[in-house]
């Protein structure tokens, strides 16, 4: 025998009731079907009652809509031959309801007892309708067998009496299907009561346990328990199996699939619960039983949360070693009907914190201050305080007891995303780790935990890309081209959630279609000021954030420190921050370490070449960098290779511009400033304290050529063609070639034109290639060489892309 419960939208419309009929009639074993009220009708019943009590004449119209809705459903689903009989029963119930509303309107009073009677009509009428659309079904009224008693102003199940009455009603029924209303009950005096929130689920569980059913099926409007709230986490998954304990923990902390009282009765009888979707009956749903979790399962099964949290703290040195303080705290709260759902206590016993609903906070403070008035007056208790508007999160899974480091991983994950834990609790059973955070961080916390513990099919990085010039555009193209591959092969989802150019910026938590970013950005009315960009990123407060700077803008580089301090990863193609003042560079590195996020700038030197990562690996493994020699300007190397007896210096510069190797203003490259920045960055990564002013410079072209416009430059630079050609011929005559070399030698740094021989690795360096030679204590006789393309939007974008991927820690 099975017990099936249908509720909410499952019985909300004619179409959903057809699904109920098909599901029930598709079963061959005996069934008890528990039915909730038509979806949303309970709220209508309550609101109409309140209108009547407040002398609002519109209650008459509201009541008429209730009648009309029930009639529409009956006419739409009940077979014509049964319709007169059903209407006779339901119209009588609706007439009773109308009389009660009139009475409430006359006396202008709505007592709890009257409201209990009013809301009972939803289930009573709905169950009659369902009983008459299912072939062979009979109807029984729950008021005749569910009994309650009063405790702390609440209706509590009278279990012994209820069990006897259930057997007296059901033991002799031979019909294949029995339909009963859920939720409703009555007390020993015959007064209508109810089982409270989730009461229909509870009714079904009571029947299943008392009659020893094989299984309890809860049919709702979701496919089962989810790993997290799908309204917050788009990629939440259905949990196929849960233990009773895991299901209870998830329910206690906000999962609304079923309510905690439902689990108790069937747990004691070891009757499995199956959560199924009325609108998707083919889905397997969630199976809940006492079967132990498979050892290979993930450590946590799901995440639940309560947004409505206030933390109460009782504090004082007078609590230390005093027996019975906590007993007095919780007895006082229980006596006044205040429910506590989480407790956290310091081992020193000088404070106890516990979580209650915000609505109970003021009352809880009053109760406790009265209870501990003598201690507060004497100073043995110094404070009883509240911290409202918080959220409680629970991660649940019986396999946590087998997984070492789950708590460490949890709090590390939260910390790296800038989420501060205010209080936490974990039982010795290791099934639940609960913690309290600011409610503004709830969405972020749920997403990052879901992502970190692989409850999702995918890991998500949320990208803010600033700068849509050559490098930025290429980066977006590469991300778009690789999105499907990363998702399918690496389970990594890259979401563009913010974008900015020099004029406009745009941010959205929903993600930006990379196919359409230009059109979307062009429609934005938000100016791309540094402050707007900073506010847009920080205020979104989104998990796994990565700020990607593809500009050369000093004001954007100044945003790195506040971004890192807000736990946002920074990937920079912009060299300004890493090559600026040494103290500021150190501050950025320290902040990244402190916050557990990453500050990556591999493309600052050598575009896509792995130079900085290699230096870091050498240093971290205990090696010491002694010397670095490098050709770091693809533009200057191209020019050195292009100059010949027939091609003067200025023509070679124009060729570099035409090929796209040079900046539109070639003086940026020719000044050597870019090379200075790069060697400063390498020196710093090699653990030398170097400022740009420390670099000795042998200029490629005299500085006076850089005054005025680009046109002015070409007019004056021609005068140096002969000098440069003379240098080139002199070098050529000695079998040498000119190269613009940056050098770090035991903390001394220089840049300038050098002549190198055929045996030198720089001699045959073609085109715009870069090369870096690294001499260390280990790589001494034969330096390590890193060589390849050192310029170009595509390779630079690829280097930025590689830094982004490294944040996800995938291989």
């Amino acid at each position: 025998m099975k017990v099936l419960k249908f509720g909410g939208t499952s019985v909300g419309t004619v179409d959903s009731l057809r699904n109920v009929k098909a599901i029930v009639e598709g079963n061959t074993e005996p069934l008890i079907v528990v039915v909730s009220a038509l979806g949303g009708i309970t709220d209508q019943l309550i609101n109409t009652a309140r209108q009547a009590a407040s002398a609002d004449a519109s209650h008459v119209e509201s009541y008429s809509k209730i009648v009309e809705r029930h009639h529409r459903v009956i006419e739409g689903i009940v077979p014509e031959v049964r319709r007169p009989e059903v209407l006779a029963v339901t119209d009588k119930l609706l007439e009773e309801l109308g009389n009660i509303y009139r009475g409430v309107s006359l006396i202008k009073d709505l007592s709890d007892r009257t409201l209990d009677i009013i809301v009972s009509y939803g289930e009573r009428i709905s169950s009659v309708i369902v009983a008459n659309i299912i072939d062979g079904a009979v109807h029984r009224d729950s008021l005749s067998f569910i009994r309650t008693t009063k405790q702390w102003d609440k209706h509590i199940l009278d279990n012994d009496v209820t069990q006897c009455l259930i057997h007296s009603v059901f033991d002799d029924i031979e019909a294949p299907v029995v339909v009963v209303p859920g939720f409703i009950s009555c007390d020993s005096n015959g007064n209508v009561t109810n089982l409270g929130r989730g009461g229909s689920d509870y009714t079904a569980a009571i029947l299943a346990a008392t009659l020893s059913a094989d299984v309890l099926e809860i049919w709702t409007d979701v496919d089962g328990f989810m790993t997290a709230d799908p309204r917050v986490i788009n990629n939440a998954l259905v949990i196929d199996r849960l233990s009773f304990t895991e299901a209870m923990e998830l329910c206690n902390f906000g999962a609304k699939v079923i309510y905690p009282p439902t689990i108790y009765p069937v747990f004691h009888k070891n009757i499995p619960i199956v959560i199924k979707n009325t609108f998707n009956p083919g889905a397997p749903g969630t199976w809940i039983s006492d079967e132990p979790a498979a050892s290979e399962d993930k450590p946590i099964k799901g995440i639940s949360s309560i947004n409505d949290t206030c933390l109460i703290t009782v504090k004082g040195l007078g609590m230390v070693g005093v027996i019975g303080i906590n007993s007095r705290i919780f007895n006082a709260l229980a006596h006044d009907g205040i429910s506590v759902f989480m407790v956290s206590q310091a081992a020193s016993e000088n404070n106890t914190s516990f979580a209650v609903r915000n609505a109970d906070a003021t009352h809880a403070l009053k109760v406790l201050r009265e209870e501990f008035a003598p201690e507060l007056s004497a100073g043995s208790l110094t404070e009883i305080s509240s911290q409202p508007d918080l959220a409680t999160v629970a991660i649940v899974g019986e396999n946590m007891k087998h997984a070492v480091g789950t708590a460490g991983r949890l709090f590390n994950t939260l910390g790296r995303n800038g989420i501060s834990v205010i209080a936490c609790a974990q039982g010795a059973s290791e099934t639940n780790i609960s913690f309290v955070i600011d409610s503004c961080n709830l969405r972020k916390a749920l997403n990052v935990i879901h992502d970190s513990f692989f409850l999702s099919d995918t890991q998500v990085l949320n990208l803010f890309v600033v700068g849509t010039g050559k490098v930025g555009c290429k980066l977006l193209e590469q991300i778009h081209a690789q999105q499907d591959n990363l998702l399918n092969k690496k389970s990594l989802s890259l979401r563009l959630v913010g974008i900015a150019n020099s004029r406009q910026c745009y941010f959205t938590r929903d993600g930006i279609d990379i196919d359409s970013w230009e059109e979307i950005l062009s429609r934005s009315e938000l100016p791309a000021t540094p402050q707007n960009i900073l506010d847009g990123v920080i205020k979104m407060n989104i998990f796994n954030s990565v700020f990607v700077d593809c500009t050369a803008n000093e004001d954007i580089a100044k945003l790195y420190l506040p971004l890192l301090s807000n736990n946002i990863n920074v990937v920079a193609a912009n060299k300004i921050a890493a090559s600026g003042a040494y103290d500021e560079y150190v501050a950025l590195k320290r902040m990244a370490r402190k916050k557990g996020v990453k500050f990556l700038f591999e493309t600052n030197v050598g575009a896509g070449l792995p130079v900085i990562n290699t230096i870091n690996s050498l240093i971290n493994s205990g090696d010491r960098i002694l010397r670095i020699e490098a050709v770091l300007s693809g533009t200057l190397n191209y020019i050195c290779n292009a100059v010949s007896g027939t091609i003067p210096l200025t023509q070679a510069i124009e060729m570099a511009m035409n090929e796209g190797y040079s900046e539109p203003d070639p003086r940026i490259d020719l000044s050597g400033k870019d090379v200075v920045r790069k060697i400063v960055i390498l020196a710093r990564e090699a653990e030398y304290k170097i400022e740009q002013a420390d670099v000795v410079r042998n200029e490629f072209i005299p500085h006076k050529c850089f005054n005025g416009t680009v046109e002015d430059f070409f007019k004056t630079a021609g005068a140096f063609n002969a000098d440069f050609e003379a240098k080139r011929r002199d070098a050529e005559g000695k079998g040498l070639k000119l190269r613009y070399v940056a050098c770090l030698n035991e903390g001394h740094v220089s840049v300038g034109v050098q002549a190198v021989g055929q045996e030198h690795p720089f001699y045959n360096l073609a085109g715009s290639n870069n090369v870096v030679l690294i001499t260390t204590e280990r790589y001494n006789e034969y330096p390590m060489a890193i060589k390849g393309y050192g310029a170009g939007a595509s390779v630079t974008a690829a280097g930025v892309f590689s830094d982004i991927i490294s944040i996800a820690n995938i291989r």
Side-chain angles (χ1 to χ4, degrees), residues 735-739 741 754-760 762-763:
L736 307 175
K737 287 185 179 180
L738 298 180
R739 295 288 182 255
V741 179
Q754 290 184 19
V756 298
Q758 295 182 13
E759 74 287 351
H760 199 286
F762 296 170
Y763 184 85

Side-chain angles (χ1 to χ4, degrees), residues 269-289:
K269 287 289 190 77
N270 194 22
I271 298 169
I273 304 173
V274 185
I275 311 299
K276 300 280 282 182
N277 190 344
T278 312
F279 304 96
N280 185 20
T286 299
W287 180 274
I288 304 168
S289 69

Side-chain angles (χ1 to χ4, degrees), residues 461-480:
L461 291 183
N462 290 296
L463 309 182
F464 300 87
V465 176
V466 178
T468 58
K470 291 180 180 179
V471 174
C473 283
K474 284 293 182 183
L475 174 65
L476 292 169
E477 286 178 16
Q478 291 173 9
I479 291 173
H480 184 245

Side-chain angles (χ1 to χ4, degrees), residues 164-199:
C164 291
L165 290 173
I166 287 173
H167 282 295
S168 69
V169 170
F170 288 89
D171 284 354
D172 296 328
I173 294 178
E174 296 182 357
V177 180
V178 183
V179 178
V180 302
F183 178 68
I184 63 174
S185 52
C186 69
D187 62 20
S188 58
N189 297 318
N191 298 316
V192 174
T193 60
N194 61 66
L195 298 177
R197 195 173 187 184

Side-chain angles (χ1 to χ4, degrees), residues 643-665:
V643 173
S644 68
T646 58
I647 300 176
L649 174 64
T650 50
Q651 185 179 345
I653 295 171
E654 290 176 339
M655 289 166 61
M657 293 175 64
N658 294 335
E659 291 290 334
Y661 293 129
S662 164
E663 296 290 339
D665 184 346

Side-chain angles (χ1 to χ4, degrees), residues 231-292:
R231 294 168 299 181
V232 178
I233 298 176
N234 295 330
N235 54 357
L237 306 171
V238 176
I239 306 171
D240 57 350
R241 284 184 174 271
L242 287 171
S243 69
F244 285 120
T245 302
E246 289 169 333
M248 178 65 72
E249 294 284 5
L250 289 171
C251 291
N252 277 328
F253 279 86
K256 301 297 191 296
V257 181
I258 56 176
Y259 289 88
T262 305
I263 299 173
Y264 298 128
V266 292
F267 164 71
H268 290 298
K269 287 289 190 77
N270 194 22
I271 298 169
I273 304 173
V274 185
I275 311 299
K276 300 280 282 182
N277 190 344
T278 312
F279 304 96
N280 185 20
T286 299
W287 180 274
I288 304 168
S289 69
D290 68 346
E291 295 175 16

Side-chain angles (χ1 to χ4, degrees), residues 604-606 611 615 625-634 636-637 640 672-683 690 695-698 700 738-746 748-756 760 762 765 770-775:
N604 281 192
V605 180
V611 180
I615 290 174
I625 309 296
L626 303 176
R627 180 179 174 85
I628 295 176
E629 288 182 281
V631 172
L632 296 173
S633 172
L636 296 183
N637 194 58
C640 286
K673 185 175 183 180
D674 190 55
V675 177
V676 169
R677 284 176 172 165
K678 290 177 180 180
I679 193 62
V680 165
I681 293 170
L682 292 184
I690 300 293
V695 180
V696 177
R697 311 184 194 201
N698 177 12
F700 198 87
L738 298 180
R739 295 288 182 255
Y740 196 83
V741 179
C743 184
L744 164 71
N745 190 6
E746 291 285 0
H748 301 285
V749 186
S750 63
V751 297
V753 177
Q754 290 184 19
V756 298
H760 199 286
F762 296 170
L765 193 63
N770 283 187
V771 63
V772 179
L773 302 180
I774 304 172
T775 303

Side-chain angles (χ1 to χ4, degrees), residues 2-11 20 24 32-37 180 182-183 198-205 216-220 257-259 262 274 276 278:
K2 288 184 181 179
V3 176
L4 279 60
K5 179 263 175 178
F6 295 92
T9 55
S10 297
V11 288
V20 171
V24 173
I32 296 175
V33 177
V34 180
V35 180
S36 292
V180 302
F183 178 68
S200 293
D201 290 352
Y202 193 21
T203 302
L216 167 61
E217 294 183 1
I218 305 293
W219 289 83
T220 179
V257 181
I258 56 176
Y259 289 88
T262 305
V274 185
K276 300 280 282 182
T278 312

